[in-house]
Amino acid sequence: MAGELTYHDQENIENTKRMRAILRELPLFCRDFFTGIETRTSARTRLAYAYDLKTFFEYLHRENPVLSKTPIRSLTIDVLEEITLQDIEEYMDYLKCYDTDSRSDVTNAERGIMRKISSLKSFYNYYFRREMIKNNPAALVELPKIHDKEIIRFEVDEVAQFLDEVDDGKDLTDRQKKFHERTRVRDLAMMTLMLGTGIRVSECVGINISDVDFHVDGIRIHRKGGKEVIIYFGDEVEAALRDYMNEREKITAEPGSEDALFLSLQNKRINVRSVEKMVKKYAQIVTPLKKITPHKLRSTYGTNLYRETGDIYLVADVLGHADVNTTKKHYAAIEDQRRRSARDKVKLREP
């Protein structure tokens, strides 16, 4: 529909609204920071910064005897000068487990702590580089060491079992089977598409009907940051998509979702959370010991593509990784297997 906002545009608007709502709870001087980074960051990134800074200032207000007497909104930029390296290190320890007004026992693992401290470093750097503060204690903080996590993904036989379960739903509960009768074709199309192309769940739910072109077997998606790319799919994906498209043509979508490809049972564009629940529902039947998420479907595709091609640069490009080193880190074990297999490939002398 002409003039209709894309899913990506709608997400940017919603994220901007959420960010502005949080900004109204932060000290006034924080507006300078968000204005300064607007041209080089996405709305989603700025929202993440807002959440992280909200946690930091709530910590100061709750734990610092002096600052607790001043409302967060009324804090001035001078407060950044008063914070010491020890204060920030204590904040890092606090992040492991804390309570908020709305939640208790909030926890952060290594990566969560690193992200929040990285946000704080960027925040301090902004004001320090502009000579609005003289001291930068955040620059002295050492980020926590990140231990590599085991990469969880489907094995080849598990992929087939997973798609079979999505297709027939024979092991679902009686209640789930009732819904499965109405969602089977859609669910199979989405799971086949994600496993067959490696797209992100946000990219999947953002696809419009007009983004699909069966003449070239390609789908237009919006990558993180808003970049538009064409992802190509194979025969299995095409078959699943065509089945769903035939069904989709008969559905009248709710206003605002007319061009959305994948719809919820309420005939609105399906959201990320619903897809996460969908993956969990089917995966826990097939692999109950593995925590399979939409991102694990992406990892499964990347692994299979790398095993078939051995081209890490192709995998990085198809998955939309900005840095090939990110891809190498994820598939280092497979790369090592390939290097080991090379040892007997070259014969020096005939036996």
Side-chain angles (χ1 to χ4, degrees):
M1 180 179 295
E4 183 180 343
L5 290 176
T6 66
Y7 172 78
H8 176 73
D9 292 333
Q10 292 171 337
E11 282 290 288
N12 278 340
I13 291 171
E14 290 303 314
N15 286 335
T16 299
K17 288 179 178 177
R18 294 190 191 103
M19 186 271 294
R20 288 174 179 170
I22 297 173
L23 193 53
R24 287 192 287 271
E25 302 177 40
L26 297 179
L28 287 171
F29 70 87
C30 293
R31 290 185 176 276
D32 293 335
F33 172 71
F34 286 95
T35 300
I37 66 172
E38 184 170 0
T39 57
R40 52 188 173 85
T41 56
S42 67
R44 184 178 180 181
T45 297
R46 293 193 296 280
L47 176 61
Y49 274 127
Y51 278 125
D52 292 344
L53 292 176
K54 182 174 185 284
T55 300
F56 175 65
F57 283 108
E58 286 179 344
Y59 161 77
L60 293 180
H61 192 257
R62 185 178 292 114
E63 303 294 330
N64 190 301
V66 177
L67 298 178
S68 63
K69 300 174 184 177
T70 306
I72 292 176
R73 186 73 170 158
S74 301
L75 292 174
T76 66
I77 197 170
D78 296 336
V79 71
L80 300 185
E81 300 274 22
E82 299 170 18
I83 303 300
T84 65
L85 172 60
Q86 183 177 349
D87 290 329
I88 299 178
E89 289 175 340
E90 290 175 355
Y91 172 57
M92 289 174 64
D93 186 63
Y94 164 86
L95 288 172
K96 293 177 183 176
C97 182
Y98 59 95
D99 297 334
T100 67
D101 293 338
S102 58
R103 292 178 59 193
S104 60
D105 295 333
V106 179
T107 59
N108 283 282
E110 292 171 339
R111 294 179 188 277
I113 294 173
M114 185 180 75
R115 196 199 78 180
K116 287 178 171 60
I117 298 302
S118 295
S119 294
L120 192 59
K121 280 177 171 284
S122 297
F123 184 65
Y124 260 91
N125 286 340
Y126 176 83
Y127 295 104
F128 186 72
R129 285 197 304 268
R130 285 159 181 76
E131 299 182 347
M132 298 169 74
I133 58 175
K134 295 179 181 179
N135 301 315
N136 187 358
L140 304 176
V141 178
E142 293 184 12
L143 291 173
K145 182 179 179 181
I146 302 298
H147 296 86
D148 290 335
K149 296 190 297 183
E150 180 186 0
I151 296 176
I152 299 173
R153 55 176 73 90
F154 277 138
E155 298 302 325
V156 175
D157 60 326
E158 292 171 340
V159 171
Q161 293 170 28
F162 176 76
L163 291 176
D164 285 345
E165 187 60 46
V166 177
D167 196 7
D168 58 42
K170 60 183 178 63
D171 295 314
L172 296 173
T173 66
D174 290 341
R175 184 173 182 275
Q176 289 173 332
K177 285 179 180 177
K178 291 179 181 178
F179 287 102
H180 182 259
E181 293 173 6
R182 300 168 60 190
T183 66
R184 182 189 70 83
V185 178
R186 180 203 67 187
D187 293 358
L188 186 59
M190 294 189 77
M191 297 302 97
T192 304
L193 174 62
M194 294 175 72
L195 280 165
T197 62
I199 61 175
R200 297 176 176 90
V201 61
S202 59
E203 296 164 350
C204 183
V205 301
I207 296 171
N208 288 335
I209 296 173
S210 56
D211 292 328
V212 183
D213 185 351
F214 286 115
H215 292 100
V216 297
D217 285 346
I219 291 181
R220 177 175 55 210
I221 62 170
H222 291 271
R223 290 293 195 197
K224 288 198 299 187
K227 182 181 178 182
E228 252 186 33
V229 299
I230 305 296
I231 294 295
Y232 299 96
F233 50 80
D235 294 342
E236 290 178 285
V237 175
E238 179 187 359
L241 279 177
R242 283 190 181 277
D243 285 345
Y244 174 68
M245 292 284 269
N246 291 334
E247 189 175 272
R248 174 66 180 85
E249 289 175 358
K250 304 169 187 174
I251 302 173
T252 302
E254 289 293 310
S257 298
E258 292 91 344
D259 196 30
L261 177 58
F262 296 114
L263 299 176
S264 68
L265 287 174
Q266 291 72 42
N267 293 340
K268 296 179 181 179
R269 184 187 296 274
I270 197 167
N271 58 43
V272 169
R273 182 65 184 137
S274 295
V275 181
E276 290 172 343
K277 289 180 178 179
M278 183 194 305
V279 172
K280 181 180 179 180
K281 177 178 69 175
Y282 294 116
Q284 65 185 5
I285 295 172
V286 176
T287 58
L289 298 183
K290 291 182 180 180
K291 186 180 179 181
I292 300 295
T293 64
H295 191 73
K296 301 301 186 291
L297 303 188
R298 181 170 156 82
S299 295
T300 299
Y301 171 79
T303 299
N304 292 337
L305 181 61
Y306 186 49
R307 281 175 175 158
E308 290 295 323
T309 65
D311 188 339
I312 199 70
Y313 292 95
L314 174 63
V315 176
D317 183 50
V318 173
L319 292 181
H321 288 164
D323 185 352
V324 72
N325 289 318
T326 301
T327 320
K328 286 181 178 178
K329 182 174 69 174
H330 280 80
Y331 305 103
I334 304 173
E335 201 165 42
D336 186 58
Q337 290 175 10
R338 294 183 66 84
R339 283 196 297 268
R340 288 174 183 271
S341 69
R343 61 189 174 189
D344 298 322
K345 298 299 183 184
V346 177
K347 303 296 183 185
L348 303 180
R349 291 192 297 172
E350 292 297 325

